[in-house]
Amino acid sequence: MTATQSTNLKIPFNPEFCSISSNNELISNFTYKNTIVTKDSNDNVSIKPIEQNYKFKLNLKVPKVGIMLVGFGGNNGSTFLAATLANKHNISFYNKEGLQQPNYLGSMTQSSTIKLGIDSKGNDVFVPFNSVLPLVNPNDLVVTGWDINSANLAECIERSQVLEYDLQTKLKPLMKEYTPLKSIYYPDFIAMNQYDRANNCSNEIPSDVQTGKRSYDINNKWNDVEKIRNDIRTFKAENQLDNVIVLWTANTERCVPIIEGINDTKENIIKAIKENHEEIAPSTVFAAAAILEKTPYINGSPQNTFVPGLVELAEANDSLIAGDDFKSGQTKIKSVLTQYLVDAGIKPLSIASYNHLGNNDGLNLSSQRQFRSKEISKSSVIDDCIDSNDILYPKETIVEGGKAVDHCIVIKYMKAVGDSKVAMDEYYSELMLGGHNRISLHNVCEDSLLATPLIIDLVIMTEFFSRLTYKKVDENGKEENVDSYDNVYPVLAFLSYWLKAPLTRKGFKPINSLNRQRQALENLFRLLIGLPANDELRFEERLL
């Protein structure tokens, strides 16, 4: 293994499978191997190994990147800006435990490692995840965004009560210079308890002089799309950015129905926006605007923004999308613990999950229609794990329309706890010979300090995938497209590690197992530098 001599980046790569072009591109050859499995009516299994050769090309030049947050003034948006500024300016601060240094703990790309191989004695060698291939430094991100509330970002960090007071004080001179762009507000899609916050909306109609009651124009939704597109273009031009990424971290909306002729195709959803259909949500408008600008769009909330028409629009515009809903605390643990139980042959019968929280996210979720969006995203996290074991869960024993596991989710708003979300879970499982096992967990999450690193990772990895292209190569070494490479598929299922309800390509089931999601990312990085997929056979120790 060697480091390249044609670039000043210290990239370890295997020259047998990789090279760096004169254009500063990493060219990698990889043979993807898998197994096609078929079962007959008697459950007899036959297997057929398959192989496909690929050539990957990664642009090693890291561009100047801007991030536009929908919900910029909320807890997550203000904490995100605070984190990047504190790290960029190396702002230390005091809390009751003493002097603290800024860091990016909780971010996989910034604070975790990846196994490269072993040393001469058989010991594992780990390196920082972000040292293997060039990634955007979060300190270099240019940040702005939209919010329905006009408070500047210094006011927002005080309002959110997420950060230590000393850190707030030191950040305020920097953060007061940031004010949110005007957003759009369609009252039917978020809880009415958000109405008083909505004083920074481009679709606001001048208030009635007598009542002072604000109202909003919901009959110019295509104008709203064009306004957001212009915001993206202006931000990109004024800051001389190479790329912009839009990420929704605003209030959870209610889910929308999939309606034939309205949001089922790319043509229909554009038509529905122009006709101001009542089921066109603000998130639909933001996503459509980003897609039409060929700007990656990430949905960090649980609503079903990516209806079939928007996915088709992203495919047609070759624009990257990812969602849904940040996977930060309780759900991340659930994806690990359920996998452990099922892989151990223990049969979960019920999972009861309870949360209470006191931030604005909790206030919005106190409305039943918004809670339902969250309930859907949180409940689906165990599905692929349950489907993986038909010994524990035989398909014929599950009544049509029923669930193999009784899975209950409760979220309550309690203002007093603020951003410190309390999560309590009980896993009730069946053991051998009629035995049972209960696992009870009590988890206090500082919600925004868990979610913000996910935003960092999602943005950094989305930008990374915008630089990655590929082509197929047949068994004789003939390239499918000699002179061109294809972009990765627009739906970034590789980002599932950070999302509760991963969006996948039509016809494919999402993978929710955290270990499998992480393994896919590690192995992708490995293949791009010419290394085989990681395994833990450890023959150096276990075989003579």
Side-chain angles (χ1 to χ4, degrees):
M1 185 171 296
T2 183
T4 174
Q5 302 302 312
S6 60
T7 175
N8 56 12
L9 294 167
K10 296 180 179 179
I11 301 171
F13 69 90
N14 182 350
E16 183 178 353
F17 299 103
C18 303
S19 63
I20 293 184
S21 72
S22 58
N23 294 325
N24 204 26
E25 297 162 332
L26 179 65
I27 310 297
S28 311
N29 296 295
F30 178 72
T31 300
Y32 174 71
K33 299 179 181 181
N34 212 330
T35 305
I36 301 295
V37 180
T38 56
K39 285 184 179 182
D40 64 20
S41 57
N42 296 317
D43 279 345
N44 295 314
V45 174
S46 62
I47 62 174
K48 178 185 177 183
I50 59 170
E51 293 186 0
Q52 175 63 59
N53 297 316
Y54 289 94
K55 179 176 282 189
F56 290 91
K57 181 172 71 174
L58 176 68
N59 186 345
L60 296 175
K61 181 183 177 182
V62 176
K64 185 178 182 183
V65 180
I67 171 70
M68 303 185 79
L69 300 170
V70 189
F72 189 28
N75 285 25
N76 289 343
S78 58
T79 304
F80 176 88
L81 178 63
T84 58
L85 291 176
N87 280 276
K88 180 177 182 177
H89 297 283
N90 195 28
I91 298 174
S92 58
F93 60 95
Y94 283 91
N95 64 10
K96 63 184 179 182
E97 296 173 356
L99 184 64
Q100 305 296 315
Q101 301 297 331
N103 57 54
Y104 284 119
L105 296 183
S107 163
M108 193 196 87
T109 61
Q110 305 305 303
S111 301
S112 77
T113 60
I114 182 173
K115 180 183 172 183
L116 271 192
I118 58 172
D119 63 17
S120 59
K121 296 181 180 179
N123 299 310
D124 291 340
V125 176
F126 293 86
V127 298
F129 188 92
N130 60 9
S131 71
V132 177
L133 291 166
L135 301 176
V136 172
N137 185 329
N139 292 1
D140 297 332
L141 292 170
V142 183
V143 187
T144 191
W146 303 266
D147 202 279
I148 62 173
N149 187 260
S150 62
N152 68 52
L153 272 291
E155 296 171 314
C156 292
I157 58 167
E158 182 177 356
R159 179 179 64 194
S160 67
Q161 300 179 352
V162 172
L163 302 177
E164 295 287 344
Y165 178 76
D166 188 41
L167 180 56
Q168 289 185 41
T169 301
K170 292 180 177 179
L171 283 170
K172 280 183 177 180
L174 295 171
M175 295 188 69
K176 71 180 181 180
E177 302 301 321
Y178 292 80
T179 55
L181 299 168
K182 286 192 173 185
S183 190
I184 56 172
Y185 176 53
Y186 306 160
D188 184 50
F189 288 91
I190 59 176
M192 283 307 298
N193 57 37
Q194 302 298 302
Y195 174 83
D196 289 340
R197 293 173 67 99
N199 66 355
N200 190 49
C201 307
S202 60
N203 65 323
E204 182 179 346
I205 298 171
S207 61
D208 186 290
V209 176
Q210 293 181 332
T211 66
K213 184 177 177 63
R214 297 190 304 274
S215 57
Y216 300 88
D217 183 4
I218 57 172
N219 294 309
N220 284 289
K221 293 183 177 181
W222 186 251
N223 287 351
D224 294 336
V225 169
E226 293 293 353
K227 183 263 181 189
I228 294 163
R229 293 183 68 177
N230 185 64
D231 287 345
I232 295 170
R233 290 193 293 264
T234 300
F235 176 59
K236 187 173 185 179
E238 289 181 348
N239 292 279
Q240 298 181 317
L241 301 171
D242 299 303
N243 293 331
V244 173
I245 296 169
V246 177
L247 183 144
W248 178 284
T249 183
N251 280 313
T252 296
E253 296 176 336
R254 66 170 174 83
C255 284
V256 299
I258 309 302
I259 307 172
E260 186 177 351
I262 300 299
N263 53 16
D264 54 340
T265 70
K266 64 181 187 294
E267 293 85 5
N268 286 339
I269 201 161
I270 294 295
K271 181 172 179 286
I273 295 172
K274 290 181 176 179
E275 293 177 352
N276 305 303
H277 193 276
E278 62 183 5
E279 292 300 336
I280 296 298
S283 64
T284 306
V285 168
F286 275 98
I291 290 168
L292 291 170
E293 286 298 307
K294 298 186 183 298
T295 297
Y297 184 89
I298 304 166
N299 177 31
S301 290
Q303 70 269 355
N304 61 334
T305 297
F306 294 121
V307 293
L310 271 181
V311 174
E312 193 175 293
L313 189 67
E315 291 172 332
N317 285 272
D318 205 14
S319 185
L320 299 177
I321 58 174
D324 297 309
D325 202 5
F326 302 137
K327 181 165 60 179
S328 56
Q330 184 183 54
T331 307
K332 186 170 283 186
I333 293 173
K334 186 178 293 182
S335 68
V336 175
L337 187 50
T338 305
Q339 191 73 57
Y340 145 67
L341 292 168
V342 171
D343 285 352
I346 297 170
K347 182 179 181 179
L349 299 173
S350 68
I351 302 174
S353 297
Y354 166 86
N355 303 258
H356 66 257
L357 67 164
N359 57 23
N360 192 58
D361 181 42
L363 180 62
N364 181 60
L365 290 174
S366 64
S367 174
Q368 177 57 35
R369 292 195 301 170
Q370 283 67 41
F371 163 71
R372 179 57 182 155
S373 294
K374 177 69 76 171
E375 183 180 34
I376 292 170
S377 74
K378 288 172 77 73
S379 64
S380 62
V381 72
I382 66 171
D383 290 352
D384 64 311
C385 180
I386 300 307
D387 289 343
S388 72
N389 193 324
D390 58 8
I391 300 173
L392 298 181
Y393 303 102
K395 301 297 185 291
E396 63 272 13
T397 66
I398 301 173
V399 178
E400 185 176 355
K403 289 286 187 179
V405 176
D406 191 0
H407 191 185
C408 175
I409 295 162
V410 177
I411 301 176
K412 295 295 182 183
Y413 174 66
M414 297 187 72
K415 183 177 180 180
V417 303
D419 205 58
S420 293
K421 180 170 65 177
V422 178
M424 291 176 276
D425 297 81
E426 181 186 80
Y427 297 76
Y428 182 61
S429 304
E430 182 179 352
L431 304 176
M432 66 182 298
L433 302 177
H436 292 89
N437 169 243
R438 269 191 178 88
I439 300 174
S440 298
L441 299 178
H442 183 274
N443 176 23
V444 180
C445 318
E446 293 194 59
D447 207 22
S448 299
L449 295 177
L450 284 174
T452 296
L454 306 188
I455 298 176
I456 292 168
D457 289 341
L458 285 164
V459 169
I460 287 172
M461 292 305 297
T462 297
E463 187 287 317
F464 170 82
F465 281 107
S466 73
R467 288 184 279 126
L468 181 64
T469 55
Y470 74 96
K471 65 173 68 173
K472 290 183 177 180
V473 180
D474 68 20
E475 61 271 17
N476 298 315
K478 183 179 179 181
E479 298 177 4
E480 189 176 69
N481 300 306
V482 176
D483 298 323
S484 64
Y485 286 74
D486 294 322
N487 295 324
V488 297
Y489 179 64
V491 176
L492 290 179
F494 269 113
L495 303 188
S496 298
Y497 180 83
W498 296 281
L499 298 161
K500 280 192 183 79
L503 186 68
T504 57
R505 192 173 193 159
K506 186 177 180 180
F508 291 82
K509 294 181 179 180
I511 300 299
N512 287 291
S513 166
L514 198 70
N515 292 336
R516 293 171 68 190
Q517 292 168 340
R518 164 80 190 218
Q519 186 180 47
L521 291 165
E522 287 191 10
N523 285 336
L524 176 67
F525 270 47
R526 289 176 62 84
L527 77 87
L528 291 175
I529 59 172
L531 299 182
N534 240 332
D535 66 56
E536 289 300 326
L537 291 173
R538 304 183 72 88
F539 283 170
E540 296 83 8
E541 172 191 352
R542 296 166 180 169
L543 298 179
L544 292 176

